[in-house]
Amino acid sequence: WNYDFISRKTTWSKEIFHIMGLDPKLEIPDYDQFKKLIHPDDWHKLSETTLESIKKGAVKELELRIKRSNGNDCTVFIICTPLVNLAGKVTKLNGIIQDITERKQSEKELIKANRLYKVISQINQMVVRNRVREKIFTEACDIVIKYGKFRMAWIGLVNEKNTTITPVAWAGAELGYLNKIKAITTNNNPDGNGPTGLAIRNGKLYYCNDIANAPVMEIWRDEALERNYRSSIALPIIVRKKIIGVFTIYISEPDFFNQSEIDLLSQVTTDISFALEVAETEKNRLEAGKAIKRLNAELEQRVILRTLQLENINKELEAFTYSVSHDLRSPLHNINGWSQVLLEECKDQLGENGCTYLDRVLIETKRMSNLIDDLLKLSKVTLIEKKSDRVDLTAIAQNIAT
């Protein structure tokens, strides 16, 4: 393209017509028509850059957003080269326009991907150091906002009693949204047919790239747009194959979520689910440890009680054995003594049978005396210090077998 200041004539190549979304057979747009082709936010930049190129006679470069008539906007790269005469006056402007829409889109996707990779990295670090469910939820929301540059993020848990979804953590520009909107449910009705309810009910993510027009956002649209939420995605949180909640994220840019962003954000909820499973396992382990300590304490108390009971029994046994040794041994000695006297002094009168009977009496008194001695020894066993020793059970078993 070029513009001649002397003839005030502008010329375009066919390619520029195509870039602008115009028919090359048509005339070049006039000033007002051309201004409509430029994005309103970029017109001031184009005017300043052109004037500076003319004033300084210097080559200038800039990027502009073009609003094509077919609605497919594009981004172009422009080089403006002034032609200066001998008097130092600019007589003509020459330039090129290049469609860089695809390059800008690739750069944009790369920036988005880098942001999400940072989110994943930070989530991974967080789940390693956290074992508390509430902290995992809170920090996950903070990370998504800080590193992912999203507008708002919140985590809700399913209330199984009434099927509602209760927000437990959020970050970003929430601005009272969660209190203002109607309660979200998991039921198949208007309250449960938004992205969040659908994600939980179907067990898979759901995204909305046009909150301003999507039917699923009808009952939440006004409050969402008021806070500049333009796109959203809801990702179910699954722990041990059970859906316990949802991670919902908003951004102030329509048509934000494509398959690349969806795949990366799915990794985020996978990592959160893993962290929750680890936290649950750790909680169960701690509870089991507490239960073991409690049982050990109860066992110790039972041992102490049983020891006291045994001590009392031993004391009673001591008293009993003392009574037995004293109360029985004394008459036994009398029986034994008098029997001996009868054998010595009245042997002839007793005859052979009488002597035999007295001998049996003496034998039985001796046996009774031995039983009393054994009973006394048994009562003293608990007072003897216990000694442990190694025993070869294999050798004992072999001896028994042979």
Side-chain angles (χ1 to χ4, degrees), residues 7 37 73 83 87 120 143 184 247-248 258 338 342 401:
S7 65
L37 294 172
D73 297 351
L83 184 64
I120 293 172
I143 288 170
I184 301 173
F247 195 1
T248 302
N258 58 30
W338 288 113
L342 284 171

Side-chain angles (χ1 to χ4, degrees), residues 157-166 183-187:
L157 297 181
V158 178
N159 186 330
E160 296 182 354
K161 292 182 179 179
N162 56 18
T163 69
T164 59
I165 301 168
T166 305
I184 301 173
T185 72
T186 60
N187 298 324

Side-chain angles (χ1 to χ4, degrees), residues 103-278:
R103 192 192 81 192
K104 295 297 289 185
Q105 185 62 30
S106 297
E107 290 176 355
K108 182 180 177 181
E109 293 299 325
L110 182 61
I111 291 171
K112 286 162 64 175
N114 285 337
R115 279 160 38 186
L116 292 177
Y117 277 121
K118 286 182 180 178
V119 169
I120 293 172
S121 175
Q122 292 297 319
I123 290 287
N124 287 337
Q125 294 179 47
M126 180 270 290
V127 300
V128 169
R129 66 174 183 271
N130 270 338
R131 292 291 181 271
V132 179
R133 180 191 244 192
E134 290 72 19
K135 286 187 177 181
I136 292 172
F137 291 153
T138 300
E139 291 196 27
C141 291
D142 290 339
I143 288 170
V144 163
I145 298 302
K146 182 177 179 180
Y147 296 95
K149 308 301 180 185
F150 289 95
R151 180 69 174 165
M152 196 270 277
W154 67 281
I155 290 176
L157 297 181
V158 178
N159 186 330
E160 296 182 354
K161 292 182 179 179
N162 56 18
T163 69
T164 59
I165 301 168
T166 305
V168 294
W170 55 86
E174 190 270 335
L175 304 174
Y177 177 75
L178 297 174
N179 286 328
K180 201 77 178 287
I181 62 173
K182 192 173 182 180
I184 301 173
T185 72
T186 60
N187 298 324
N188 187 13
N189 55 33
D191 298 338
N193 283 330
T196 300
L198 288 169
I200 290 182
R201 193 164 65 253
N202 298 328
K204 58 184 180 180
L205 65 86
Y206 192 97
Y207 66 95
C208 173
N209 268 333
D210 187 10
I211 290 177
N213 298 295
V216 295
M217 287 297 294
E218 182 178 356
I219 63 176
W220 302 284
R221 180 177 292 117
D222 292 342
E223 295 296 337
L225 294 178
E226 185 179 323
R227 293 160 179 80
N228 199 24
Y229 305 158
R230 301 292 171 172
S231 298
S232 72
I233 186 169
L235 304 115
I237 299 174
I238 303 171
V239 178
R240 303 191 192 283
K241 298 182 180 181
K242 180 182 179 181
I243 301 171
I244 66 160
V246 64
F247 195 1
T248 302
I249 302 169
Y250 304 86
I251 193 163
S252 56
E253 179 182 334
D255 300 315
F256 178 85
F257 298 104
N258 58 30
Q259 194 58 48
S260 177
E261 283 77 39
I262 290 169
D263 291 342
L264 291 174
L265 286 170
S266 295
Q267 291 185 42
V268 170
T269 48
T270 299
D271 291 342
I272 291 173
S273 296
F274 172 76
L276 293 174
E277 288 182 2
V278 172

